Amino acid sequence: MRHSLSGIAASSGVAVAKAFVHEEPDFTIRNKTAEDAEKEGTRLEEALATSRDELSAIKQKALEELGEDKAEIFSAHLLVLSDPELVEAVKGKIKDDRATAEHALNEVADMFISMFENMDNEYMKERAADIRDVSRRVLGHLLGIEVVSLAAITEDTIIIANDLTPSDTAQLNPQVIKGFATNIGGRTSHSAIMSRSLEIPAVVGTKEATTTIKNGMTVIVDGIDGHVIVEPSNEELDQYKQKQADFQKQKEEWAKLVNKRTTTLDGQHVELAANIGTPNDLEGVINNGAEGIGLYRTEFLYMGRSELPSEEEQYQAYKEVVERMEGKPVVIRTLDIGGDKELPYLDLPEELNPFLGFRAIRLCLERQDIFRDQLRALLRASAHGNLKVMFPMIASLEELRQAKHLLDEERDKLESEGMNVSKDMEVGIMVEIPSTAVAAEQFAKEVDFFSIGTNDLIQYTMAADRMNERVSYLYQPYHPAILRLVDMVIKAAHAEGKWVGMCGEMAGDEVAIPLLLGLGLDEFSMSATSILPARSQLSGLSKAELARFAKDALNEDTADAVEQLVVDAYGSK
Ligand code: PEP
Ligand code: MG
């Protein structure tokens, strides 16, 4: 039946296709031991055979509909299924340890995955992803759950889900996945951030997408204005096709700015940088003409696997990023786990308020084994380019001092081991906790730079969970309180001769950009796809004029009043 849902526009663009409702299966293994090894062996053989049949069919379909390239991945999956080493190891566990087929498979697959992931070779790392996918398929059969791999979708599709995990989004093939809509999440939830790096139109936080949309329904995802139209009329379809065409034209205009410097109307240069989650995002960053990386979220290196990445593996990833950026600044943030980003293998106890809990720098200062490995990898990579280190979630000067102390200790160790380390690597912090913004004057004396993390700064200042769409009305980037905090941070840094960036989503927001320029922000770091629109907008703004304008904005009384002031003076929204 025709209906529409409203949500948060997470990634711009318009898409029309049939819906696929994705449900995350529960792979919890409850029975780990079995007496009858022979029976378990047969169950395993049957699950392998069914998976083989399924994969052959999917491969054939992919070959016909998507071409050889995409079908390749299923040939690789078939190879995994018949890999004697893997299959024999599972059988061995069933026999020797009296393990159930599912438990044995899970254990062996995890072992192979972490082995491949730790190899210093991209090809081998891809094998780890193949093993994960295949073992989930076989596990699904053993546990009696139907598992649909998102990577196996071969027709134009809109994914409908409660939320998508980073590993779900990593499987999406943008050639056929035209868009997605989720029940939960906000503009700054990680599925939203991923949708922008994949350049797939998305609407998040629609509350009831999975309950009102059924497989096969035609759906329009309007990632520009945050609407999802289900079973649209012909008239609506025409309207949205026009909107899609207009967006395409606009993108072509922006593309002309790729190799241009970002300069304001009054000739001031500001730096437009990109946020990335993995080295795979670099292509989009380079194609969109970023002047640097303002935030590399390293936690993705630690996620979707069963053990910590080694120092060497991290070193390779960081080195790849700084080298490919060819001397442009690359700000790498140390591990920021917690909140909506979990690491199951750390076995951390559940918390009532994970966003206020044991996360990021708090965890790193306690688990120094994890932190020191990362610091060493960063220091080693600093010899290969313009790397800057940034600590997340700093709330007190003691935390900053302790983190810097550990960094210095690891630097000394590396130097005494004869390793090459940059002499002048900058060290900065995220300003995302109100205490740090308020005390920015003190912090500014002990850092080289600040990067304002508004995604968290807003949620902590307004006491409104960034993931909870019920309180999203309080998630107000233009609230005068937020603007005043940003103003304080910039003034404090400039008084000490330090630079200030912003890597929260607010930095790429067209209403915020004039205000941030007026407040004197030096670097704006955003999703790669926001860079060209931002460059185009900044080229029409005068920094001197906006400095006066921003003062007026600070004196407005509500977020709406600020927004109105900007829209009246500078248009848009
Ligand atoms: C932020 O909090 O603004 C930020 C950039 O970090 P993350 O979104 O990873 O929490
Ligand atoms: Mg944050």
Side-chain angles (χ1 to χ4, degrees):
M1 223 196 6
R2 191 221 165 269
H3 66 282
S4 67
L5 301 169
S6 284
I8 295 155
S11 173
S12 55
V14 177
V16 189
K18 296 267 188 239
F20 171 75
V21 184
H22 172 63
E23 271 156 303
E24 180 53 29
D26 175 9
F27 282 116
T28 315
I29 296 172
R30 294 190 175 82
N31 299 327
K32 297 195 173 165
T33 54
E35 277 317 306
D36 191 345
E38 203 173 314
K39 193 169 139 212
E40 291 307 303
T42 314
R43 288 182 62 226
L44 176 72
E45 289 293 355
E46 283 170 2
L48 290 173
T50 319
S51 305
R52 204 170 294 127
D53 291 348
E54 270 174 8
L55 279 170
S56 307
I58 299 173
K59 182 184 153 192
Q60 192 51 33
K61 199 161 164 226
L63 199 60
E64 285 159 17
E65 292 168 18
L66 298 174
E68 239 169 85
D69 239 28
K70 294 283 179 250
E72 262 304 288
I73 152 168
F74 302 105
S75 305
H77 286 190
L78 280 163
L79 276 181
V80 173
L81 265 187
S82 48
D83 179 345
E85 249 192 275
L86 189 134
V87 176
E88 286 311 313
V90 180
K91 286 185 179 160
K93 258 198 169 309
I94 292 177
K95 220 164 115 220
D96 304 340
D97 302 355
R98 298 274 154 203
T100 54
E102 50 271 35
H103 183 52
L105 173 74
N106 199 36
E107 296 269 296
V108 171
D110 272 358
M111 184 191 79
F112 274 90
I113 291 168
S114 66
M115 186 175 87
F116 282 121
E117 269 176 347
N118 282 319
M119 289 186 185
D120 177 20
N121 174 318
E122 269 317 302
Y123 177 79
M124 289 302 175
K125 285 184 186 152
E126 280 173 29
R127 296 294 71 78
D130 291 340
I131 297 174
R132 181 174 297 114
D133 235 61
V134 172
S135 62
R136 282 166 72 98
R137 177 176 297 281
V138 184
L139 261 186
H141 289 303
L142 287 167
L143 295 170
I145 5 186
E146 196 187 346
V147 182
V148 184
S149 150
L150 294 179
I153 295 177
T154 53
E155 279 163 24
D156 285 3
T157 299
I158 305 268
I159 306 269
I160 308 294
N162 182 48
D163 191 17
L164 289 171
T165 63
S167 63
D168 288 330
T169 37
Q171 287 186 51
L172 303 181
N173 171 2
Q175 239 181 307
V176 288
I177 306 302
K178 297 295 169 192
F180 69 74
T182 62
N183 292 348
I184 64 165
R187 218 187 125 72
T188 59
S189 60
H190 287 88
S191 56
I193 292 169
M194 293 290 264
S195 65
R196 288 192 284 281
S197 69
L198 287 165
E199 303 194 23
I200 299 178
V203 178
V204 298
T206 63
K207 297 191 184 80
E208 44 200 22
T210 57
T211 49
T212 65
I213 303 176
K214 303 270 171 287
N215 278 337
M217 286 181 164
T218 300
V219 172
I220 298 174
V221 170
D222 173 0
I224 301 171
D225 292 316
H227 300 302
V228 179
I229 323 288
V230 188
E231 302 282 54
S233 64
N234 285 340
E235 205 181 324
E236 281 170 320
L237 274 175
D238 288 345
Q239 226 178 330
Y240 275 96
K241 283 196 178 132
Q242 186 56 47
K243 194 164 178 177
Q244 206 170 19
D246 292 346
F247 182 69
Q248 202 46 41
K249 243 201 278 21
Q250 172 72 266
K251 268 174 82 171
E252 281 157 25
E253 278 306 304
W254 289 330
K256 295 179 186 153
L257 301 172
V258 170
N259 298 316
K260 299 252 158 53
R261 235 169 102 82
T262 312
T263 315
T264 63
L265 200 57
D266 52 345
Q268 302 287 318
H269 173 244
V270 285
E271 194 173 299
L272 278 188
N275 296 347
I276 63 168
T278 79
N280 294 340
D281 295 337
L282 282 175
E283 198 180 314
V285 166
I286 294 162
N287 290 343
N288 282 287
E291 291 159 84
I293 303 289
L295 169 65
Y296 175 2
R297 291 182 164 95
T298 57
E299 45 278 9
F300 291 107
L301 248 169
Y302 293 71
M303 292 163 73
R305 52 190 294 153
S306 51
E307 57 179 33
L308 291 162
S310 64
E311 174 192 321
E312 182 62 25
E313 184 183 346
Q314 294 188 56
Y315 163 66
Q316 294 296 341
Y318 306 151
K319 174 166 158 273
E320 181 183 344
V321 175
V322 288
E323 283 184 346
R324 284 183 63 190
M325 290 308 290
E326 297 176 333
K328 296 191 182 91
V330 174
V331 179
I332 305 189
R333 179 174 76 181
T334 59
L335 181 62
D336 180 10
I337 212 67
D340 64 338
K341 293 170 288 193
E342 294 172 14
L343 284 190
Y345 57 83
L346 287 187
D347 260 339
L348 297 171
E350 270 204 24
E351 296 181 313
L352 273 180
N353 290 304
F355 273 108
L356 300 181
F358 184 59
R359 56 175 292 199
I361 198 70
R362 304 166 184 190
L363 181 144
C364 286
L365 292 177
E366 193 173 303
R367 289 291 308 267
Q368 290 190 9
D369 51 329
I370 300 177
F371 196 37
R372 284 182 191 271
D373 273 354
Q374 183 170 39
L375 295 176
R376 289 172 66 84
L378 288 165
L379 285 159
R380 286 170 58 198
S382 72
H384 301 275
N386 189 355
L387 190 158
K388 303 171 198 286
V389 169
M390 174 160 76
F391 301 124
M393 294 289 293
I394 294 284
S396 73
L397 269 169
E398 288 90 337
E399 286 171 330
L400 169 63
R401 288 175 188 155
Q402 208 186 335
K404 281 176 65 175
H405 177 71
L406 294 176
L407 184 70
D408 288 341
E409 278 189 357
E410 290 309 320
R411 180 186 287 111
D412 290 347
K413 276 194 226 159
L414 283 169
E415 278 173 347
S416 67
E417 289 164 29
M419 295 274 201
N420 234 349
V421 172
S422 158
K423 290 271 168 281
D424 46 14
M425 182 177 77
E426 289 188 10
V427 178
I429 59 170
M430 299 271 304
V431 180
E432 52 187 339
I433 296 183
S435 60
T436 305
V438 173
E441 262 177 48
Q442 280 94 324
F443 282 93
K445 296 187 188 0
E446 301 189 27
V447 296
D448 295 313
F449 66 91
F450 288 140
S451 184
I452 306 175
T454 47
N455 302 346
D456 280 320
L457 185 63
I458 298 169
Q459 79 164 344
Y460 296 136
T461 305
M462 302 297 293
D465 183 343
R466 67 195 254 194
M467 296 291 288
N468 184 342
E469 58 287 342
R470 287 221 165 129
V471 293
S472 63
Y473 74 97
L474 279 172
Y475 197 87
Q476 300 177 351
Y478 323 129
H479 192 295
I482 303 294
L483 298 180
R484 285 175 184 220
L485 286 177
V486 170
D487 182 48
M488 282 168 67
V489 174
I490 297 175
K491 284 206 175 99
H494 288 176
E496 291 293 329
K498 311 290 167 68
W499 64 270
V500 192
M502 178 179 286
C503 58
E505 292 299 312
M506 184 175 176
D509 177 312
E510 60 181 338
V511 171
I513 285 174
L515 297 169
L516 298 172
L517 178 69
L519 294 175
L521 192 72
D522 303 297
E523 178 236 42
F524 296 63
S525 191
M526 57 192 71
S527 311
T529 48
S530 300
I531 289 177
L532 295 175
R535 184 168 292 157
S536 156
Q537 184 185 6
L538 282 159
S539 68
L541 299 174
S542 151
K543 187 167 177 174
E545 185 185 307
L546 278 159
R548 290 186 293 275
F549 182 79
K551 276 210 188 89
D552 296 340
L554 293 179
N555 290 322
E556 287 294 341
D557 49 7
T558 63
D560 279 348
V562 171
E563 183 171 354
Q564 204 51 53
L565 188 76
V566 180
V567 173
D568 288 347
Y570 294 95
S572 216
K573 273 253 159 146

